[in-house]
PDB file of all heavy atoms in Angstrom:
ATOM      1  N   ILE A 104       3.356  74.802 -88.861  1.00  0.00           N
ATOM      2  CA  ILE A 104       2.744  73.662 -89.557  1.00  0.00           C
ATOM      3  C   ILE A 104       1.406  74.107 -90.136  1.00  0.00           C
ATOM      4  O   ILE A 104       0.630  74.802 -89.495  1.00  0.00           O
ATOM      5  CB  ILE A 104       2.496  72.478 -88.615  1.00  0.00           C
ATOM      6  CG1 ILE A 104       3.796  72.007 -87.981  1.00  0.00           C
ATOM      7  CG2 ILE A 104       1.839  71.320 -89.361  1.00  0.00           C
ATOM      8  CD1 ILE A 104       3.596  70.946 -86.935  1.00  0.00           C
ATOM      9  N   ASN A 105       1.153  73.660 -91.353  1.00  0.00           N
ATOM     10  CA  ASN A 105      -0.140  73.858 -91.966  1.00  0.00           C
ATOM     11  C   ASN A 105      -0.600  72.502 -92.494  1.00  0.00           C
ATOM     12  O   ASN A 105       0.197  71.573 -92.599  1.00  0.00           O
ATOM     13  CB  ASN A 105      -0.058  74.881 -93.100  1.00  0.00           C
ATOM     14  CG  ASN A 105      -1.377  75.575 -93.345  1.00  0.00           C
ATOM     15  OD1 ASN A 105      -2.432  75.104 -92.926  1.00  0.00           O
ATOM     16  ND2 ASN A 105      -1.325  76.701 -94.034  1.00  0.00           N
ATOM     17  N   HIS A 106      -1.866  72.385 -92.817  1.00  0.00           N
ATOM     18  CA  HIS A 106      -2.405  71.127 -93.318  1.00  0.00           C
ATOM     19  C   HIS A 106      -2.912  71.310 -94.739  1.00  0.00           C
ATOM     20  O   HIS A 106      -3.437  72.365 -95.093  1.00  0.00           O
ATOM     21  CB  HIS A 106      -3.560  70.637 -92.433  1.00  0.00           C
ATOM     22  CG  HIS A 106      -3.149  70.406 -91.023  1.00  0.00           C
ATOM     23  ND1 HIS A 106      -2.424  69.307 -90.636  1.00  0.00           N
ATOM     24  CD2 HIS A 106      -3.337  71.140 -89.904  1.00  0.00           C
ATOM     25  CE1 HIS A 106      -2.196  69.372 -89.336  1.00  0.00           C
ATOM     26  NE2 HIS A 106      -2.741  70.482 -88.872  1.00  0.00           N
ATOM     27  N   ASP A 107      -2.745  70.279 -95.527  1.00  0.00           N
ATOM     28  CA  ASP A 107      -3.211  70.293 -96.911  1.00  0.00           C
ATOM     29  C   ASP A 107      -4.730  70.436 -96.946  1.00  0.00           C
ATOM     30  O   ASP A 107      -5.439  69.866 -96.126  1.00  0.00           O
ATOM     31  CB  ASP A 107      -2.800  68.987 -97.602  1.00  0.00           C
ATOM     32  CG  ASP A 107      -2.700  69.136 -99.099  1.00  0.00           C
ATOM     33  OD1 ASP A 107      -3.725  69.451 -99.731  1.00  0.00           O
ATOM     34  OD2 ASP A 107      -1.595  68.949 -99.625  1.00  0.00           O
ATOM     35  N   LEU A 108      -5.219  71.220 -97.897  1.00  0.00           N
ATOM     36  CA  LEU A 108      -6.658  71.451 -98.010  1.00  0.00           C
ATOM     37  C   LEU A 108      -7.380  70.377 -98.804  1.00  0.00           C
ATOM     38  O   LEU A 108      -8.588  70.198 -98.657  1.00  0.00           O
ATOM     39  CB  LEU A 108      -6.913  72.805 -98.688  1.00  0.00           C
ATOM     40  CG  LEU A 108      -6.452  74.033 -97.931  1.00  0.00           C
ATOM     41  CD1 LEU A 108      -6.695  75.282 -98.770  1.00  0.00           C
ATOM     42  CD2 LEU A 108      -7.169  74.136 -96.600  1.00  0.00           C
ATOM     43  N   TYR A 109      -6.658  69.669 -99.670  1.00  0.00           N
ATOM     44  CA  TYR A 109      -7.293  68.758-100.609  1.00  0.00           C
ATOM     45  C   TYR A 109      -7.563  67.389 -99.983  1.00  0.00           C
ATOM     46  O   TYR A 109      -6.652  66.756 -99.447  1.00  0.00           O
ATOM     47  CB  TYR A 109      -6.446  68.625-101.868  1.00  0.00           C
ATOM     48  CG  TYR A 109      -6.281  69.966-102.538  1.00  0.00           C
ATOM     49  CD1 TYR A 109      -5.083  70.667-102.454  1.00  0.00           C
ATOM     50  CD2 TYR A 109      -7.345  70.552-103.226  1.00  0.00           C
ATOM     51  CE1 TYR A 109      -4.948  71.920-103.041  1.00  0.00           C
ATOM     52  CE2 TYR A 109      -7.218  71.798-103.812  1.00  0.00           C
ATOM     53  CZ  TYR A 109      -6.018  72.474-103.720  1.00  0.00           C
ATOM     54  OH  TYR A 109      -5.894  73.717-104.291  1.00  0.00           O
ATOM     55  N   PRO A 110      -8.807  66.913-100.077  1.00  0.00           N
ATOM     56  CA  PRO A 110      -9.167  65.631 -99.459  1.00  0.00           C
ATOM     57  C   PRO A 110      -8.264  64.473 -99.887  1.00  0.00           C
ATOM     58  O   PRO A 110      -7.938  63.615 -99.060  1.00  0.00           O
ATOM     59  CB  PRO A 110     -10.613  65.405 -99.908  1.00  0.00           C
ATOM     60  CG  PRO A 110     -11.150  66.787-100.103  1.00  0.00           C
ATOM     61  CD  PRO A 110      -9.985  67.574-100.660  1.00  0.00           C
ATOM     62  N   LYS A 111      -7.837  64.453-101.148  1.00  0.00           N
ATOM     63  CA  LYS A 111      -6.998  63.337-101.598  1.00  0.00           C
ATOM     64  C   LYS A 111      -5.666  63.273-100.857  1.00  0.00           C
ATOM     65  O   LYS A 111      -5.030  62.224-100.817  1.00  0.00           O
ATOM     66  CB  LYS A 111      -6.763  63.417-103.112  1.00  0.00           C
ATOM     67  CG  LYS A 111      -5.856  64.536-103.546  1.00  0.00           C
ATOM     68  CD  LYS A 111      -5.600  64.497-105.035  1.00  0.00           C
ATOM     69  CE  LYS A 111      -4.613  65.587-105.412  1.00  0.00           C
ATOM     70  NZ  LYS A 111      -4.075  65.424-106.721  1.00  0.00           N
ATOM     71  N   ASN A 112      -5.238  64.386-100.254  1.00  0.00           N
ATOM     72  CA  ASN A 112      -3.972  64.420 -99.517  1.00  0.00           C
ATOM     73  C   ASN A 112      -4.164  64.214 -98.019  1.00  0.00           C
ATOM     74  O   ASN A 112      -3.194  64.288 -97.253  1.00  0.00           O
ATOM     75  CB  ASN A 112      -3.246  65.728 -99.782  1.00  0.00           C
ATOM     76  CG  ASN A 112      -2.823  65.835-101.234  1.00  0.00           C
ATOM     77  OD1 ASN A 112      -2.543  64.832-101.892  1.00  0.00           O
ATOM     78  ND2 ASN A 112      -2.799  67.048-101.746  1.00  0.00           N
ATOM     79  N   ASN A 113      -5.403  63.950 -97.606  1.00  0.00           N
ATOM     80  CA  ASN A 113      -5.714  63.541 -96.233  1.00  0.00           C
ATOM     81  C   ASN A 113      -5.094  64.453 -95.170  1.00  0.00           C
ATOM     82  O   ASN A 113      -4.507  63.989 -94.209  1.00  0.00           O
ATOM     83  CB  ASN A 113      -5.284  62.084 -96.013  1.00  0.00           C
ATOM     84  CG  ASN A 113      -5.954  61.495 -94.799  1.00  0.00           C
ATOM     85  OD1 ASN A 113      -7.044  61.914 -94.426  1.00  0.00           O
ATOM     86  ND2 ASN A 113      -5.295  60.536 -94.179  1.00  0.00           N
ATOM     87  N   ARG A 114      -5.209  65.766 -95.366  1.00  0.00           N
ATOM     88  CA  ARG A 114      -4.716  66.770 -94.401  1.00  0.00           C
ATOM     89  C   ARG A 114      -3.227  66.624 -94.088  1.00  0.00           C
ATOM     90  O   ARG A 114      -2.778  66.842 -92.964  1.00  0.00           O
ATOM     91  CB  ARG A 114      -5.514  66.734 -93.114  1.00  0.00           C
ATOM     92  CG  ARG A 114      -6.979  66.999 -93.272  1.00  0.00           C
ATOM     93  CD  ARG A 114      -7.259  68.490 -93.221  1.00  0.00           C
ATOM     94  NE  ARG A 114      -8.689  68.734 -93.090  1.00  0.00           N
ATOM     95  CZ  ARG A 114      -9.402  69.362 -94.008  1.00  0.00           C
ATOM     96  NH1 ARG A 114      -8.840  69.827 -95.080  1.00  0.00           N
ATOM     97  NH2 ARG A 114     -10.684  69.550 -93.831  1.00  0.00           N
ATOM     98  N   LYS A 115      -2.455  66.242 -95.081  1.00  0.00           N
ATOM     99  CA  LYS A 115      -1.008  66.094 -94.935  1.00  0.00           C
ATOM    100  C   LYS A 115      -0.403  67.360 -94.328  1.00  0.00           C
ATOM    101  O   LYS A 115      -0.799  68.472 -94.660  1.00  0.00           O
ATOM    102  CB  LYS A 115      -0.379  65.826 -96.310  1.00  0.00           C
ATOM    103  CG  LYS A 115       1.109  65.716 -96.278  1.00  0.00           C
ATOM    104  CD  LYS A 115       1.686  65.522 -97.665  1.00  0.00           C
ATOM    105  CE  LYS A 115       3.196  65.524 -97.560  1.00  0.00           C
ATOM    106  NZ  LYS A 115       3.838  65.556 -98.850  1.00  0.00           N
ATOM    107  N   ASN A 116       0.567  67.193 -93.443  1.00  0.00           N
ATOM    108  CA  ASN A 116       1.258  68.325 -92.831  1.00  0.00           C
ATOM    109  C   ASN A 116       2.235  68.964 -93.816  1.00  0.00           C
ATOM    110  O   ASN A 116       2.917  68.266 -94.569  1.00  0.00           O
ATOM    111  CB  ASN A 116       2.047  67.885 -91.602  1.00  0.00           C
ATOM    112  CG  ASN A 116       1.168  67.556 -90.434  1.00  0.00           C
ATOM    113  OD1 ASN A 116      -0.006  67.915 -90.402  1.00  0.00           O
ATOM    114  ND2 ASN A 116       1.730  66.877 -89.456  1.00  0.00           N
ATOM    115  N   HIS A 117       2.295  70.286 -93.765  1.00  0.00           N
ATOM    116  CA  HIS A 117       3.288  71.060 -94.514  1.00  0.00           C
ATOM    117  C   HIS A 117       4.020  71.947 -93.518  1.00  0.00           C
ATOM    118  O   HIS A 117       3.381  72.665 -92.745  1.00  0.00           O
ATOM    119  CB  HIS A 117       2.611  71.921 -95.589  1.00  0.00           C
ATOM    120  CG  HIS A 117       1.917  71.121 -96.637  1.00  0.00           C
ATOM    121  ND1 HIS A 117       2.580  70.542 -97.690  1.00  0.00           N
ATOM    122  CD2 HIS A 117       0.612  70.780 -96.770  1.00  0.00           C
ATOM    123  CE1 HIS A 117       1.717  69.895 -98.453  1.00  0.00           C
ATOM    124  NE2 HIS A 117       0.513  70.012 -97.911  1.00  0.00           N
ATOM    125  N   TYR A 118       5.340  71.893 -93.536  1.00  0.00           N
ATOM    126  CA  TYR A 118       6.170  72.617 -92.579  1.00  0.00           C
ATOM    127  C   TYR A 118       6.903  73.750 -93.295  1.00  0.00           C
ATOM    128  O   TYR A 118       7.454  73.547 -94.379  1.00  0.00           O
ATOM    129  CB  TYR A 118       7.204  71.681 -91.960  1.00  0.00           C
ATOM    130  CG  TYR A 118       6.602  70.452 -91.332  1.00  0.00           C
ATOM    131  CD1 TYR A 118       6.433  69.282 -92.068  1.00  0.00           C
ATOM    132  CD2 TYR A 118       6.192  70.472 -90.012  1.00  0.00           C
ATOM    133  CE1 TYR A 118       5.871  68.146 -91.492  1.00  0.00           C
ATOM    134  CE2 TYR A 118       5.624  69.338 -89.427  1.00  0.00           C
ATOM    135  CZ  TYR A 118       5.471  68.186 -90.177  1.00  0.00           C
ATOM    136  OH  TYR A 118       4.911  67.074 -89.610  1.00  0.00           O
ATOM    137  N   ALA A 119       6.925  74.923 -92.700  1.00  0.00           N
ATOM    138  CA  ALA A 119       7.651  76.050 -93.269  1.00  0.00           C
ATOM    139  C   ALA A 119       8.045  77.001 -92.138  1.00  0.00           C
ATOM    140  O   ALA A 119       7.284  77.198 -91.182  1.00  0.00           O
ATOM    141  CB  ALA A 119       6.800  76.772 -94.312  1.00  0.00           C
ATOM    142  N   PRO A 120       9.223  77.605 -92.231  1.00  0.00           N
ATOM    143  CA  PRO A 120       9.729  78.423 -91.126  1.00  0.00           C
ATOM    144  C   PRO A 120       9.007  79.762 -90.980  1.00  0.00           C
ATOM    145  O   PRO A 120       8.425  80.287 -91.922  1.00  0.00           O
ATOM    146  CB  PRO A 120      11.195  78.655 -91.502  1.00  0.00           C
ATOM    147  CG  PRO A 120      11.227  78.520 -92.979  1.00  0.00           C
ATOM    148  CD  PRO A 120      10.180  77.503 -93.329  1.00  0.00           C
ATOM    149  N   ILE A 121       9.097  80.283 -89.778  1.00  0.00           N
ATOM    150  CA  ILE A 121       8.684  81.649 -89.470  1.00  0.00           C
ATOM    151  C   ILE A 121       9.958  82.393 -89.085  1.00  0.00           C
ATOM    152  O   ILE A 121      10.724  81.916 -88.234  1.00  0.00           O
ATOM    153  CB  ILE A 121       7.649  81.690 -88.338  1.00  0.00           C
ATOM    154  CG1 ILE A 121       6.353  81.018 -88.793  1.00  0.00           C
ATOM    155  CG2 ILE A 121       7.404  83.135 -87.885  1.00  0.00           C
ATOM    156  CD1 ILE A 121       5.316  80.852 -87.699  1.00  0.00           C
ATOM    157  N   VAL A 122      10.166  83.564 -89.711  1.00  0.00           N
ATOM    158  CA  VAL A 122      11.405  84.303 -89.504  1.00  0.00           C
ATOM    159  C   VAL A 122      11.116  85.774 -89.187  1.00  0.00           C
ATOM    160  O   VAL A 122      10.988  86.593 -90.097  1.00  0.00           O
ATOM    161  CB  VAL A 122      12.325  84.210 -90.746  1.00  0.00           C
ATOM    162  CG1 VAL A 122      13.648  84.927 -90.492  1.00  0.00           C
ATOM    163  CG2 VAL A 122      12.558  82.761 -91.145  1.00  0.00           C
ATOM    164  N   PRO A 123      11.003  86.115 -87.909  1.00  0.00           N
ATOM    165  CA  PRO A 123      10.985  87.532 -87.554  1.00  0.00           C
ATOM    166  C   PRO A 123      12.426  88.060 -87.647  1.00  0.00           C
ATOM    167  O   PRO A 123      13.315  87.564 -86.963  1.00  0.00           O
ATOM    168  CB  PRO A 123      10.494  87.551 -86.108  1.00  0.00           C
ATOM    169  CG  PRO A 123       9.964  86.176 -85.834  1.00  0.00           C
ATOM    170  CD  PRO A 123      10.697  85.270 -86.771  1.00  0.00           C
ATOM    171  N   LYS A 124      12.650  89.019 -88.512  1.00  0.00           N
ATOM    172  CA  LYS A 124      13.988  89.583 -88.717  1.00  0.00           C
ATOM    173  C   LYS A 124      14.383  90.469 -87.538  1.00  0.00           C
ATOM    174  O   LYS A 124      13.686  90.531 -86.529  1.00  0.00           O
ATOM    175  CB  LYS A 124      14.023  90.377 -90.029  1.00  0.00           C
ATOM    176  CG  LYS A 124      13.780  89.529 -91.268  1.00  0.00           C
ATOM    177  CD  LYS A 124      14.985  88.685 -91.543  1.00  0.00           C
ATOM    178  CE  LYS A 124      14.906  88.076 -92.934  1.00  0.00           C
ATOM    179  NZ  LYS A 124      16.120  87.422 -93.331  1.00  0.00           N
ATOM    180  N   ASN A 125      15.482  91.200 -87.667  1.00  0.00           N
ATOM    181  CA  ASN A 125      15.981  92.062 -86.591  1.00  0.00           C
ATOM    182  C   ASN A 125      15.014  93.196 -86.275  1.00  0.00           C
ATOM    183  O   ASN A 125      14.367  93.745 -87.164  1.00  0.00           O
ATOM    184  CB  ASN A 125      17.334  92.662 -86.980  1.00  0.00           C
ATOM    185  CG  ASN A 125      18.417  91.616 -87.127  1.00  0.00           C
ATOM    186  OD1 ASN A 125      18.305  90.503 -86.630  1.00  0.00           O
ATOM    187  ND2 ASN A 125      19.481  91.975 -87.804  1.00  0.00           N
ATOM    188  N   ASN A 126      14.965  93.555 -84.993  1.00  0.00           N
ATOM    189  CA  ASN A 126      14.210  94.713 -84.503  1.00  0.00           C
ATOM    190  C   ASN A 126      12.706  94.615 -84.724  1.00  0.00           C
ATOM    191  O   ASN A 126      12.038  95.635 -84.886  1.00  0.00           O
ATOM    192  CB  ASN A 126      14.760  96.009 -85.114  1.00  0.00           C
ATOM    193  CG  ASN A 126      16.205  96.223 -84.751  1.00  0.00           C
ATOM    194  OD1 ASN A 126      16.522  96.455 -83.590  1.00  0.00           O
ATOM    195  ND2 ASN A 126      17.078  96.105 -85.735  1.00  0.00           N
ATOM    196  N   VAL A 127      12.169  93.426 -84.723  1.00  0.00           N
ATOM    197  CA  VAL A 127      10.727  93.227 -84.883  1.00  0.00           C
ATOM    198  C   VAL A 127      10.070  93.289 -83.504  1.00  0.00           C
ATOM    199  O   VAL A 127      10.623  92.832 -82.509  1.00  0.00           O
ATOM    200  CB  VAL A 127      10.441  91.880 -85.578  1.00  0.00           C
ATOM    201  CG1 VAL A 127       8.983  91.483 -85.471  1.00  0.00           C
ATOM    202  CG2 VAL A 127      10.882  91.937 -87.032  1.00  0.00           C
ATOM    203  N   TRP A 128       8.877  93.841 -83.469  1.00  0.00           N
ATOM    204  CA  TRP A 128       8.076  93.867 -82.249  1.00  0.00           C
ATOM    205  C   TRP A 128       6.758  93.183 -82.558  1.00  0.00           C
ATOM    206  O   TRP A 128       5.978  93.661 -83.370  1.00  0.00           O
ATOM    207  CB  TRP A 128       7.852  95.300 -81.801  1.00  0.00           C
ATOM    208  CG  TRP A 128       6.985  95.483 -80.590  1.00  0.00           C
ATOM    209  CD1 TRP A 128       6.624  94.548 -79.660  1.00  0.00           C
ATOM    210  CD2 TRP A 128       6.371  96.701 -80.189  1.00  0.00           C
ATOM    211  NE1 TRP A 128       5.816  95.109 -78.703  1.00  0.00           N
ATOM    212  CE2 TRP A 128       5.649  96.445 -79.003  1.00  0.00           C
ATOM    213  CE3 TRP A 128       6.348  97.991 -80.720  1.00  0.00           C
ATOM    214  CZ2 TRP A 128       4.919  97.411 -78.345  1.00  0.00           C
ATOM    215  CZ3 TRP A 128       5.619  98.956 -80.050  1.00  0.00           C
ATOM    216  CH2 TRP A 128       4.927  98.666 -78.870  1.00  0.00           C
ATOM    217  N   ILE A 129       6.534  92.042 -81.910  1.00  0.00           N
ATOM    218  CA  ILE A 129       5.292  91.301 -82.053  1.00  0.00           C
ATOM    219  C   ILE A 129       4.523  91.508 -80.751  1.00  0.00           C
ATOM    220  O   ILE A 129       4.944  91.024 -79.695  1.00  0.00           O
ATOM    221  CB  ILE A 129       5.560  89.805 -82.320  1.00  0.00           C
ATOM    222  CG1 ILE A 129       6.393  89.629 -83.595  1.00  0.00           C
ATOM    223  CG2 ILE A 129       4.241  89.042 -82.414  1.00  0.00           C
ATOM    224  CD1 ILE A 129       6.918  88.214 -83.808  1.00  0.00           C
ATOM    225  N   GLU A 130       3.423  92.238 -80.834  1.00  0.00           N
ATOM    226  CA  GLU A 130       2.665  92.556 -79.631  1.00  0.00           C
ATOM    227  C   GLU A 130       1.865  91.342 -79.154  1.00  0.00           C
ATOM    228  O   GLU A 130       1.868  90.288 -79.777  1.00  0.00           O
ATOM    229  CB  GLU A 130       1.767  93.756 -79.896  1.00  0.00           C
ATOM    230  CG  GLU A 130       2.558  95.025 -80.183  1.00  0.00           C
ATOM    231  CD  GLU A 130       1.701  96.254 -80.393  1.00  0.00           C
ATOM    232  OE1 GLU A 130       0.474  96.190 -80.159  1.00  0.00           O
ATOM    233  OE2 GLU A 130       2.258  97.288 -80.796  1.00  0.00           O
ATOM    234  N   SER A 131       1.142  91.491 -78.071  1.00  0.00           N
ATOM    235  CA  SER A 131       0.429  90.389 -77.413  1.00  0.00           C
ATOM    236  C   SER A 131      -0.682  89.792 -78.273  1.00  0.00           C
ATOM    237  O   SER A 131      -1.293  90.473 -79.095  1.00  0.00           O
ATOM    238  CB  SER A 131      -0.186  90.878 -76.107  1.00  0.00           C
ATOM    239  OG  SER A 131       0.823  91.248 -75.212  1.00  0.00           O
ATOM    240  N   ASN A 132      -0.928  88.502 -78.041  1.00  0.00           N
ATOM    241  CA  ASN A 132      -2.053  87.765 -78.626  1.00  0.00           C
ATOM    242  C   ASN A 132      -2.036  87.729 -80.153  1.00  0.00           C
ATOM    243  O   ASN A 132      -3.082  87.736 -80.784  1.00  0.00           O
ATOM    244  CB  ASN A 132      -3.387  88.323 -78.107  1.00  0.00           C
ATOM    245  CG  ASN A 132      -3.501  88.170 -76.619  1.00  0.00           C
ATOM    246  OD1 ASN A 132      -3.374  87.078 -76.089  1.00  0.00           O
ATOM    247  ND2 ASN A 132      -3.699  89.277 -75.928  1.00  0.00           N
ATOM    248  N   VAL A 133      -0.866  87.655 -80.723  1.00  0.00           N
ATOM    249  CA  VAL A 133      -0.685  87.565 -82.175  1.00  0.00           C
ATOM    250  C   VAL A 133      -0.528  86.102 -82.562  1.00  0.00           C
ATOM    251  O   VAL A 133       0.077  85.319 -81.830  1.00  0.00           O
ATOM    252  CB  VAL A 133       0.558  88.375 -82.612  1.00  0.00           C
ATOM    253  CG1 VAL A 133       0.981  88.048 -84.033  1.00  0.00           C
ATOM    254  CG2 VAL A 133       0.310  89.870 -82.444  1.00  0.00           C
ATOM    255  N   THR A 134      -1.057  85.739 -83.739  1.00  0.00           N
ATOM    256  CA  THR A 134      -0.790  84.435 -84.343  1.00  0.00           C
ATOM    257  C   THR A 134      -0.123  84.676 -85.681  1.00  0.00           C
ATOM    258  O   THR A 134      -0.610  85.472 -86.489  1.00  0.00           O
ATOM    259  CB  THR A 134      -2.097  83.635 -84.556  1.00  0.00           C
ATOM    260  OG1 THR A 134      -2.694  83.388 -83.273  1.00  0.00           O
ATOM    261  CG2 THR A 134      -1.821  82.312 -85.246  1.00  0.00           C
ATOM    262  N   ILE A 135       1.007  83.997 -85.910  1.00  0.00           N
ATOM    263  CA  ILE A 135       1.711  84.070 -87.195  1.00  0.00           C
ATOM    264  C   ILE A 135       1.732  82.666 -87.777  1.00  0.00           C
ATOM    265  O   ILE A 135       2.133  81.708 -87.115  1.00  0.00           O
ATOM    266  CB  ILE A 135       3.133  84.619 -87.032  1.00  0.00           C
ATOM    267  CG1 ILE A 135       3.076  86.044 -86.437  1.00  0.00           C
ATOM    268  CG2 ILE A 135       3.873  84.611 -88.373  1.00  0.00           C
ATOM    269  CD1 ILE A 135       4.428  86.658 -86.144  1.00  0.00           C
ATOM    270  N   THR A 136       1.268  82.552 -89.027  1.00  0.00           N
ATOM    271  CA  THR A 136       1.166  81.244 -89.667  1.00  0.00           C
ATOM    272  C   THR A 136       2.452  80.880 -90.409  1.00  0.00           C
ATOM    273  O   THR A 136       3.333  81.712 -90.609  1.00  0.00           O
ATOM    274  CB  THR A 136      -0.042  81.210 -90.623  1.00  0.00           C
ATOM    275  OG1 THR A 136       0.112  82.220 -91.616  1.00  0.00           O
ATOM    276  CG2 THR A 136      -1.339  81.431 -89.863  1.00  0.00           C
ATOM    277  N   SER A 137       2.541  79.653 -90.840  1.00  0.00           N
ATOM    278  CA  SER A 137       3.778  79.082 -91.365  1.00  0.00           C
ATOM    279  C   SER A 137       4.270  79.737 -92.655  1.00  0.00           C
ATOM    280  O   SER A 137       3.493  80.247 -93.459  1.00  0.00           O
ATOM    281  CB  SER A 137       3.601  77.581 -91.598  1.00  0.00           C
ATOM    282  OG  SER A 137       2.685  77.339 -92.626  1.00  0.00           O
ATOM    283  N   GLY A 138       5.584  79.697 -92.795  1.00  0.00           N
ATOM    284  CA  GLY A 138       6.225  80.129 -94.030  1.00  0.00           C
ATOM    285  C   GLY A 138       6.350  81.624 -94.196  1.00  0.00           C
ATOM    286  O   GLY A 138       6.547  82.090 -95.311  1.00  0.00           O
ATOM    287  N   LEU A 139       6.300  82.383 -93.112  1.00  0.00           N
ATOM    288  CA  LEU A 139       6.303  83.840 -93.237  1.00  0.00           C
ATOM    289  C   LEU A 139       7.564  84.473 -92.671  1.00  0.00           C
ATOM    290  O   LEU A 139       8.119  84.022 -91.670  1.00  0.00           O
ATOM    291  CB  LEU A 139       5.094  84.437 -92.520  1.00  0.00           C
ATOM    292  CG  LEU A 139       3.732  83.960 -93.009  1.00  0.00           C
ATOM    293  CD1 LEU A 139       2.631  84.667 -92.233  1.00  0.00           C
ATOM    294  CD2 LEU A 139       3.579  84.192 -94.493  1.00  0.00           C
ATOM    295  N   THR A 140       7.973  85.561 -93.313  1.00  0.00           N
ATOM    296  CA  THR A 140       9.040  86.418 -92.815  1.00  0.00           C
ATOM    297  C   THR A 140       8.409  87.728 -92.376  1.00  0.00           C
ATOM    298  O   THR A 140       7.564  88.283 -93.077  1.00  0.00           O
ATOM    299  CB  THR A 140      10.096  86.678 -93.909  1.00  0.00           C
ATOM    300  OG1 THR A 140      10.714  85.425 -94.244  1.00  0.00           O
ATOM    301  CG2 THR A 140      11.159  87.650 -93.444  1.00  0.00           C
TER     302      THR A 140
END
Side-chain angles (χ1 to χ4, degrees):
I104 301 174
N105 206 342
H106 300 284
D107 204 299
L108 295 176
Y109 300 105
K111 71 176 184 166
N112 295 329
N113 198 27
R114 300 273 192 243
K115 178 183 176 189
N116 288 344
H117 296 279
Y118 305 91
I121 294 173
V122 183
K124 296 287 193 171
N125 295 341
N126 300 293
V127 166
W128 177 17
I129 301 170
E130 295 183 9
S131 295
N132 298 305
V133 166
T134 297
I135 300 176
T136 59
S137 67
L139 301 182
T140 296

